[in-house]
Amino acid sequence: MLRFKLRELIAEKTFNEDRQITLVELARECDVNRMTLSKIVNKKGQSINTDNLDKLCRYFNCKIEDLVEYIPDKD
């Protein structure tokens, strides 16, 4: 399963810039649908296309592994 670390990236950017980063702002800045971002933050196993991953990595100036973590399924 892939785990998205979007919530953590938002919290870190909020702290570093000493201002609130909202999903509405993030959606506008990245040109990604707000509902898509909400699903990534709130639901396990949400899928996302590579264009959106690229936009988020560009916005947060991060590597893909900072945004997405692979967690093996439990046997």
Side-chain angles (χ1 to χ4, degrees):
M1 174 173 63
L2 296 179
R3 182 179 86 81
F4 293 97
K5 299 186 276 185
L6 185 57
R7 185 185 309 264
E8 292 92 333
L9 288 172
I10 292 170
E12 183 176 335
K13 189 169 182 76
T14 294
F15 178 80
N16 290 339
E17 295 185 6
D18 195 26
R19 65 185 189 88
Q20 186 63 39
I21 308 293
T22 66
L23 289 183
V24 172
E25 175 187 346
L26 183 58
R28 183 180 60 247
E29 293 291 324
C30 293
D31 192 29
V32 176
N33 188 289
R34 187 194 60 77
M35 285 304 297
T36 299
L37 295 174
S38 181
K39 288 177 183 177
I40 293 168
V41 167
N42 295 310
K43 291 186 178 182
K44 287 184 177 182
Q46 181 62 35
S47 67
I48 182 172
N49 70 43
T50 55
D51 288 338
N52 288 341
L53 290 172
D54 183 58
K55 291 174 184 179
L56 290 169
C57 285
R58 190 175 313 121
Y59 177 80
F60 288 107
N61 192 30
C62 69
K63 297 178 183 177
I64 191 71
E65 58 266 25
D66 297 328
L67 179 61
V68 181
E69 175 183 16
Y70 173 70
I71 300 175
D73 292 333
K74 296 178 183 179
D75 292 335

